[in-house]
Amino acid sequence: MSALEARLLARIAADGPISVAAYMAECLLDPEHGYYATRDPLGRAGDFTTAPEISQMFGELLGLALGQTWLEQGRPAPFTLAELGPGRGTLMADALRALRAVPGCLDAARGHLVEASPALRARQRDALEGHAVSWHDTVDALPDAPLFLVANEFFDALPIRQFQREGDLWRERRVGARDEGLAMGLAGPAPQPALAGRLADTADGDLVEIRPAAPAIAAAIGRRIQTFGGAALILDYGGWGGSGDTLQAVRGHSYADPLQAPGEADLTAHVDFAELARATPSARSRLTPQGVFLERLGITARAQTLARGLSGAALESHVTAHRRLTHPDEMGTLFQCLAFHPEETPPPPGVDP
Ligand code: SAH
């Protein structure tokens, strides 16, 4: 039994079962044993890979989409170029390289990264050597200034709570103990004012998820964008509303039991983009599939340019990467993009207004 599992079992024995959110928070960010806090889980050798790790084209195109929006908004200077949960810093490094082509942009940009993991902050420092960037624990620390922001696979890692409907009441799904191991259970039925809106689109027995930290983060981003200008590109896997248990654990590029080996597997859940859209005081785009978004930003032309310098296995892997990012059977429709922008200005290129 791992140290974290023993500690969780002791806590449950003392205080009773804990919410799925409390479980996720401990597993991901416990300073001593947490999954993100203690390691770099990304890339082929890690547990999972992400779009910026698949191809440089992803960060380049997202960077240029923000650069284009910055031009259209009259080149505000200085402005905040921010990323939430930057992982290895690959996306930001690729975006900064691409933004060299936008005259004046990098001189006006101030890099700000929101990252909870000390291990990943160290990776980001290496990837972004030579660039002046600062790190923050939360979005509230971002400056009051025009904000151009990207978040890829950040919201899916934020803890969720799960509730199962019983009549007009809700039973919270909780992590407890059974046979000396961790086990899922249900709390007694109770009213949940936060879920009042979900009685209309669910039936008895349905499971719904909420992400308690997400609305405040979306509001903090949207307030800066509405007040000072800017745009946010939020990409993740998920959809609009929806129901069902989407909690998943991934370890060594395979699905695992979320209660097995706490702290050793990545835990995520689908992002409900409607929850983010409701919370922002800014305007927002419609949800746009990642494949469509990247095609509109010109990924095919960029892929062809890069392909000219490649041959053999490198060319093959480049072609595979393009397909992985965009094809409907791969990440093209599973991942979606939502953009925030000021009421007075059009959304960034590539998204459906
Ligand atoms: N965006 C990167 C990494 C995705 S993994 C990529 O696409 O490759 C999720 C990232 O969010 C990691 O950097 C993780 O450490 C960070 N993270 C998770 N929860 C966080 C929180 N509550 N606050 C800040 N960062 C968090």
Side-chain angles (χ1 to χ4, degrees):
M1 179 181 304
S2 74
L4 184 57
E5 187 172 3
R7 221 179 57 202
L8 284 162
L9 284 167
R11 175 175 167 190
I12 290 163
D15 303 333
I18 60 174
S19 69
V20 171
Y23 177 73
M24 275 181 87
E26 295 252 355
C27 290
L28 295 178
L29 291 176
D30 178 78
E32 219 181 322
H33 308 292
Y35 181 71
Y36 285 116
T38 55
R39 78 196 75 203
D40 166 12
L42 289 146
R44 206 168 302 168
D47 285 309
F48 62 98
T49 194
T50 56
E53 301 301 328
I54 290 171
S55 169
Q56 70 186 71
M57 296 187 289
F58 188 78
E60 290 171 350
L61 292 170
L62 264 58
L64 289 174
L66 292 180
Q68 175 72 36
T69 314
W70 177 76
L71 288 174
E72 285 168 5
Q73 291 187 15
R75 309 171 176 225
F79 75 92
T80 305
L81 180 62
E83 184 174 357
L84 308 185
R88 289 179 162 179
T90 309
L91 193 167
M92 185 54 85
D94 292 336
L96 287 167
R97 196 180 55 251
L99 285 172
R100 290 204 296 239
V102 180
C105 188
L106 288 188
D107 286 340
R110 306 285 178 271
H112 289 271
L113 307 178
V114 175
E115 175 56 66
S117 160
L120 286 172
R121 280 189 185 197
R123 288 298 303 251
Q124 292 154 19
R125 197 166 291 124
D126 292 346
L128 298 172
E129 221 189 308
H131 293 282
V133 288
S134 21
W135 279 266
H136 307 284
D137 292 331
T138 66
V139 291
D140 296 318
L142 292 176
D144 275 345
L147 173 62
F148 291 81
L149 176 143
V150 55
N152 184 61
E153 290 211 56
F154 167 75
F155 283 96
D156 68 5
L158 298 182
I160 54 154
R161 292 175 71 183
Q162 297 182 314
F163 297 89
Q164 190 173 310
R165 182 165 170 188
E166 192 171 287
D168 284 355
L169 300 175
W170 300 93
R171 302 184 67 178
E172 180 156 18
R173 210 158 163 243
R174 295 191 302 189
V175 178
R178 195 181 307 135
D179 303 330
E180 282 153 45
L182 296 167
M184 286 290 185
L186 287 174
Q192 290 294 339
L195 292 175
R198 300 307 308 266
L199 291 173
D201 70 344
T202 54
D204 207 27
D206 281 356
L207 189 132
V208 302
E209 299 176 337
I210 58 172
R211 190 170 255 113
I217 295 173
I221 296 167
R223 183 184 66 75
R224 285 171 178 76
I225 289 171
Q226 187 56 41
T227 311
F228 305 105
L233 294 171
I234 299 167
L235 291 107
D236 228 308
Y237 78 117
W240 200 261
S243 59
D245 172 16
T246 74
L247 179 66
Q248 83 178 25
V250 170
R251 192 178 181 191
H253 295 271
S254 306
Y255 293 108
D257 176 346
L259 297 185
Q260 277 294 314
E264 301 291 321
D266 187 35
L267 290 180
T268 60
H270 276 216
V271 171
D272 175 7
F273 286 93
E275 195 177 36
L276 306 179
R278 275 195 303 272
T280 183
S282 70
R284 56 155 180 96
S285 71
R286 279 186 289 152
L287 206 51
T288 308
Q290 174 172 299
V292 172
F293 175 63
L294 294 176
E295 287 301 344
R296 287 176 179 158
L297 293 179
I299 194 171
T300 299
R302 180 66 182 135
Q304 283 164 351
T305 304
L306 287 171
R308 274 185 227 128
L310 300 170
S311 61
L315 178 60
E316 226 168 274
S317 103
H318 171 62
V319 171
T320 307
H322 179 199
R323 183 189 149 88
R324 270 185 87 182
L325 292 179
T326 55
H327 198 278
D329 293 341
E330 307 235 17
M331 296 170 82
T333 49
L334 180 63
F335 282 75
Q336 303 273 334
C337 179
L338 178 72
F340 292 172
H341 60 98
E343 298 280 355
E344 312 73 50
T345 69
V351 293
D352 289 310

